[in-house]
């Protein structure tokens, strides 16, 4: 792995541009450029070492490391562009090789066609040969890399030997004088020339030579122990390549002057008049070409200075061939491996075809062919300077994300972040990420914008599609930490009526749905006005023994949550095991929520079968309403003409997969309501909850065209002046209709209907002894005595009259919201109370919402 990384770091820049950069920037600033570049790569190397030792590393290299650390959103985007960048890098290195061969052909006047087409021909032939080596398998590819490595080492030794060999007259005419302190001193300081003659201009040219550190990580799936090999190999490769850059810069800067003519006739006697420059003291006069800037040789003018200095020039050419071909081969292997892993994760459409593996090592042959096609396409451009900037920015983008991954995983303090490699710093990783982004824009700002644009587009696609993957990323840990910190922080914030959260502070609802898919209308109704606004918890009481019901709870809980997600309901699901419904609801009411993120409204469906159900279940149902008020909850009770429970149409017990795969039931709350009305009957001042919920519903798109109408009991002037003054500010009520409820007498048939409704539940105790009556009441507390009928006669007639008004005014409304009547605890039997609710809401076609606050103020005019 160390050899692979070193080969990918070494490249054309080392041989053809490093001497020229030394002449421009001087030895001191060249070392600074090298060390700045190495700082970024070293920090990235430390980060990738930490990430790769934080668990099992599979195939996919950089993509696998980033995606499993930051999640599929960023991992997928960087994986795709990194695979593409490696494919284009094959073309870049191949074009560099082809240019060198073309120059040799030009030197001997042996061009095949012309300079540009020769690059294309040589490049295509070369990449085809490299493809054959790659398809032969990793063993052949590894042997080829070893061969290239040996060639480069020999070329280095050849160069170093050449620096100590006494310079011949020919080499002296080209500016080489062996090691001299005065040459070193002159080349130690900068001498800027040309349009690239700036520090950052030279930095942008050199930096691509420091990349390539991910070559080892990209073949992580082929390593026996990647957690050990990646840190050791990557960091050692960075160290030795850095040493080679520093040594070559210092040695060539101590041997070669900046300007030389190359003419053997430019000798001069030492100290001659009219001769300027360091070479005059060495017997050579390069003054004329230096002043005219027409010198062909010297560090500032001759790119092949290393070849000229070396003991045997063709070995340097062989080194150039080895560096370019090894880098091209490494990229040709890396790109398909990364792309194969990306294909298997199925984050993007239409790419799965290329993920198929062949042979015992699952070689991505289709990926190799795709990489080859991309490389050939860019080789045909035949212009190295047009290809390099985008590639460098894509690699830097990867470096930035790798460093950010390390920082993010560290800063979240997730228990899952425990790398065995300890020599890293989260702040150094953040610095590396920031510097990488800055360098991207310093190199080529438009290429940086293109890279970021592609990342953002791919990120947006994955965020929109929400792939079903769970890799335990640091983003998930960060989300948990943020949620926890904000939840704790809410405890320090005083409540206010404008926020309406905890004390009735938008409404936070505990919804008694049972299994949510059994009552989709109730789920949709509450989900509509709480979405992106407040808390919603779907509660389910499993009635029975804990031993019997706990397995069912574990089996179905995940399925119910997935059902809510598929229905796009932003809610939590929770269930409890209890001996009876009321006990279970009491547990939910007391235990649901976290800190100030606790429900403040109990939402439930209307019990349609109360007349035929066991009386004790009715008693428990009404008791649940009283319990809610006792615990300072508001109550929202929903009735629909067709009912809420659709469990009869569904399989009673469904496994989680079948639950999610099943067809979703459609409800009225999923369709647009057009220009209908939302009718509010505000009968009692309960803090304003009866007004608030319809208002929140009206803010949603499907209900936005509905006109809100508010009906109040008695006359409008009964409202105090402050509320009337504030009322015009109630949203969407510019067209609101005020219609006071009259005091007309109920129709006889309606009264008779109510009497018939309660008849089966009466004690008929008018002529019975008190002892007998008490005994009957003890055995049947839901029964209605004659005294209770008489005492509650006015309330009963009020419900009858309200139903008549509802039928007159709101028959065609989209929704009816009414203040929920309350029966005094212990003085109103459950059967009488249910008769009130039945009478009030019967025969109405629109959904009916019966709401009652807990006397906590939820409208802003209460706090003016």
């Amino acid at each position: 792995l160390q050899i692979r990384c070193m080969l990918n770091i070494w490249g054309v820049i080392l041989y053809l541009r490093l001497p020229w950069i030394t002449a421009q920037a001087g030895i001191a600033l060249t070392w600074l450029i090298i060390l700045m570049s190495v700082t970024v790569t070293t920090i990235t190397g430390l980060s990738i070492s930490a990430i790769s030792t934080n668990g099992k590393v599979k195939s996919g290299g950089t993509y696998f490391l980033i995606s499993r650390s930051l999640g599929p959103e960023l991992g997928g985007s960087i994986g795709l562009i990194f695979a593409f960048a490696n494919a284009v890098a094959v073309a870049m290195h191949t074009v560099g090789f082809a240019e060198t061969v073309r120059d040799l052909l030009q030197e001997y006047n042996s061009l095949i066609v012309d300079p540009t087409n020769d690059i294309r021909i040589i490049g295509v032939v070369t990449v085809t040969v490299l493809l054959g080596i790659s398809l032969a398998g990793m063993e052949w590819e590894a042997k080829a890399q070893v061969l290239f490595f040996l060639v480069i080492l020999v070329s280095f030794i050849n160069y170093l030997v050449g620096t100590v060999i006494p310079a011949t007259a020919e080499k002296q005419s080209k500016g080489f004088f062996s090691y001299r302190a005065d040459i070193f001193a002159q080349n130690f300081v900068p001498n800027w020339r040309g349009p690239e003659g700036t520090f950052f201009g030279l930095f942008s040219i050199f930096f691509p030579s420091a990349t390539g550190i991910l070559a080892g990580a990209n073949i992580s799936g082929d390593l026996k122990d990647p957690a050990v090999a990646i840190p050791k190999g990557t960091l050692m490769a960075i160290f030795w390549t850095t040493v080679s850059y520093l040594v070559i810069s210092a040695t060539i800067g101590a041997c070669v002057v900046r300007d030389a003519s190359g003419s053997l006739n430019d000798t001069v006697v030492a100290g001659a008049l009219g001769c300027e420059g360091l070479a005059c003291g060495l017997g050579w006069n390069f003054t004329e070409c230096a002043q005219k800037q027409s010198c062909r040789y010297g560090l500032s003018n001759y790119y092949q200075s290393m070849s000229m200095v070396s003991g045997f020039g063709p070995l340097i050419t062989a080194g150039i061939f080895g560096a370019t071909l090894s880098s091209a081969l490494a990229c040709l292997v890396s790109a398909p491996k990364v792309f194969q892993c990306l294909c298997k994760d199925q984050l993007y459409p239409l790419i799965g075809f290329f993920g198929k593996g062949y042979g015992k090592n699952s070689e991505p042959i289709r990926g190799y062919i795709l990489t080859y096609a991309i490389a050939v396409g860019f080789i045909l451009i035949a212009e190295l300077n047009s290809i390099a900037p985008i590639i460098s920015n894509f690699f830097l983008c990867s470096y930035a994300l790798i460093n950010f991954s390390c920082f993010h995983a560290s800063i979240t303090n997730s228990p899952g972040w425990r790398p065995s490699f300890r020599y890293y710093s989260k702040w150094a990783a953040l610095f590396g990420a920031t510097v990488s982004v800055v360098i991207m824009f310093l190199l080529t700002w438009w290429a940086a914008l293109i890279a970021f644009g592609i990342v953002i587009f791919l990120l947006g696609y994955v965020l929109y599609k929400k792939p079903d993957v769970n890799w335990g990323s640091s983003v998930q840990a960060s989300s948990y930490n943020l949620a926890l910190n904000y939840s704790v922080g809410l405890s320090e914030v005083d409540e206010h009526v404008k926020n309406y959260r905890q004390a009735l502070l938008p409404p936070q609802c505990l919804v008694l749905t049972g299994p949510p898919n059994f009552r989709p209308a109730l789920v949709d109704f509450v989900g509509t006005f709480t979405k992106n606004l407040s808390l919603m918890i779907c509660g389910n009481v499993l009635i029975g023994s804990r031993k019997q019901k706990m397995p069912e709870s574990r089996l179905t809980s995940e399925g119910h949550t997935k059902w809510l997600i598929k229905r796009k309901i932003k809610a939590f699901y929770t269930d409890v095991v209890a001996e009876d419904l009321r006990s279970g609801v009491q547990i939910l009411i007391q235990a649901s929520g976290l800190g100030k993120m606790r429900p403040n409204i109990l939402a439930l469906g209307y019990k349609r079968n109360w007349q035929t159900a066991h009386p004790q279940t009715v008693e428990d149902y009404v008791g649940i309403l009283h319990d809610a008020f006792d615990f300072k909850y508001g109550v929202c009770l929903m009735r629909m003409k067709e009912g809420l429970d659709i469990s009869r149409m569904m399989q009673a017990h469904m496994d989680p997969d079948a639950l999610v795969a099943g067809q979703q039931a459609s409800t009225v709350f999923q369709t647009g309501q057009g220009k209908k009305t939302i009718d509010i009957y505000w009968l009692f001042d309960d803090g304003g909850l009866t007004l608030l919920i319809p208002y929140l519903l009206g803010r949603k798109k499907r209900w936005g065209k509905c006109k809100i109408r508010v009906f109040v009991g008695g006359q409008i002037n009964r409202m105090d002046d402050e509320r009337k003054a504030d009322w015009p500010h109630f949203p969407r009520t510019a067209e609101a209709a005020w219609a006071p409820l009259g005091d007309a007498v109920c129709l006889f048939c309606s009264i008779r209907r109510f009497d018939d409704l309660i008849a089966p539940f009466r004690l008929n105790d008018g002529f019975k002894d008190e002892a007998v009556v008490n005994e009957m009441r003890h055995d049947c507390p839901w029964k209605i005595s004659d005294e209770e009928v008489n005492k509650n006669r006015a309330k009963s007639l009020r419900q009858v009259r309200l139903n008549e008004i509802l039928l007159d005014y709101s028959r065609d409304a989209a929704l009816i919201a009414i203040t929920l009547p309350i029966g005094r605890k212990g003085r109103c039997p459950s059967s009488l109370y249910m008769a009130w609710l039945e009478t009030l809401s019967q025969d109405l076609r629109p959904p009916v919402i019966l709401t009652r606050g807990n006397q906590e103020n939820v409208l802003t005019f209460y706090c003016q």
Side-chain angles (χ1 to χ4, degrees), residues 696-709:
L696 295 174
L697 196 66
R699 291 171 60 182
K700 302 303 179 180
K701 184 177 180 180
R702 293 188 177 111
W703 296 79
K705 294 181 180 180
C706 292
K707 181 173 65 175
I708 295 178
R709 301 193 302 177

Side-chain angles (χ1 to χ4, degrees), residues 610-611 746-762 764 784 789-790 792-793 796-797 800 831-832 835-836 839 842:
W610 67 274
Q611 298 177 68
C746 304
L747 295 174
F748 176 77
C749 60
S750 300
I751 299 174
R752 180 63 179 270
R753 186 177 181 182
F754 175 79
D755 291 338
D756 292 341
L757 186 63
I758 65 173
F761 303 97
R762 295 189 62 169
N764 296 317
I784 311 169
V789 171
N790 294 329
N792 291 289
R793 191 63 177 176
S796 300
L797 293 178
V800 174
S831 54
L832 177 60
W836 289 352
T839 300
Q842 65 189 355

Side-chain angles (χ1 to χ4, degrees), residues 18 43 48 97 190 226 261 299-300 366 420 431 544 574 603 653 715 736 754 769 785-786 802 830:
L18 186 57
I43 292 173
I48 205 169
F97 168 80
S261 64
L299 285 182
S300 296
R366 295 175 179 175
S420 57
F431 174 76
T574 185
H653 300 284
Q715 301 297 321
F754 175 79
D769 294 337
S785 68
D786 292 347
L802 282 171
S830 58

Side-chain angles (χ1 to χ4, degrees), residues 617-627 828-831 833-834:
T617 62
V618 180
E619 192 78 8
D620 287 347
Y621 181 82
V622 176
I624 288 171
L625 302 182
H626 289 300
D627 292 340
C828 179
S830 58
S831 54
Y833 181 68
M834 292 303 298

Side-chain angles (χ1 to χ4, degrees), residues 401-549:
L401 280 174
I402 287 173
N403 285 309
F404 183 74
S405 299
C406 182
F407 167 76
H408 197 269
S410 302
I411 203 71
T412 55
N413 294 319
S414 171
W417 175 251
R418 45 183 186 275
S420 57
F421 182 83
R422 298 294 183 182
Y423 305 103
Y424 73 96
S425 167
K426 58 186 177 184
W427 301 115
L430 179 62
F431 174 76
T434 305
V435 170
S436 297
V437 173
V438 171
I439 292 174
M440 287 178 67
F441 285 92
L442 290 176
L443 293 180
T444 316
W445 65 267
W446 56 267
L449 291 177
I450 291 175
F452 275 107
I454 294 174
V455 170
I456 292 171
F457 173 78
L458 296 174
L459 171 66
Y461 177 84
V462 177
L463 286 173
Y464 174 75
K465 284 295 184 180
K466 291 183 173 63
D468 187 18
V469 295
N470 182 12
W471 296 327
S473 66
S474 62
V475 173
Q476 293 172 320
S478 177
S479 299
Y480 175 82
N481 287 343
L482 284 174
L484 186 60
N485 291 333
Y486 281 126
S487 298
V488 173
L490 280 176
S491 301
E492 304 173 5
V493 178
D494 292 333
E495 297 158 1
H496 193 278
V497 65
K498 289 183 179 180
N499 297 324
Y500 183 56
R501 298 268 187 235
Q502 168 58 20
L504 270 178
L505 267 141
Q508 305 195 104
C509 298
L510 171 61
V511 191
L512 300 184
T513 59
N517 58 311
F518 282 7
R519 294 173 179 82
L522 182 60
V523 172
D524 290 341
F525 164 66
V526 179
T528 299
F529 68 79
T530 59
K531 186 176 183 180
N532 299 327
L533 186 68
S534 58
L535 176 68
M536 175 181 173
I537 299 176
C538 294
N540 182 19
V541 179
L542 302 174
I543 300 174
S545 66
R546 185 165 51 187
K547 185 177 181 181
Q548 292 176 334
K549 293 298 180 179

Side-chain angles (χ1 to χ4, degrees), residues 517 559 563 566 650-651 653-664:
N517 58 311
W563 183 89
K566 183 178 180 181
M650 305 178 64
Q651 193 174 349
H653 300 284
M654 303 178 71
D655 62 89
D657 294 332
L659 193 65
V660 177
Q663 185 176 0
Q664 296 275 351

Side-chain angles (χ1 to χ4, degrees), residues 177 180 182 268-272 275-286:
F177 296 96
R180 293 187 63 89
D182 50 357
V268 68
V269 178
C275 183
E276 298 177 359
L278 187 64
C280 295
L282 303 174
W284 293 87
N285 184 6
F286 302 137

Side-chain angles (χ1 to χ4, degrees), residues 16-24 196 202 205 299-301 303:
L16 302 183
R17 290 295 182 273
L18 186 57
W20 174 76
I21 292 173
T22 304
Q24 290 265 12
E196 296 96 353
L202 296 177
I205 293 173
L299 285 182
S300 296
N301 309 291
Y303 289 151

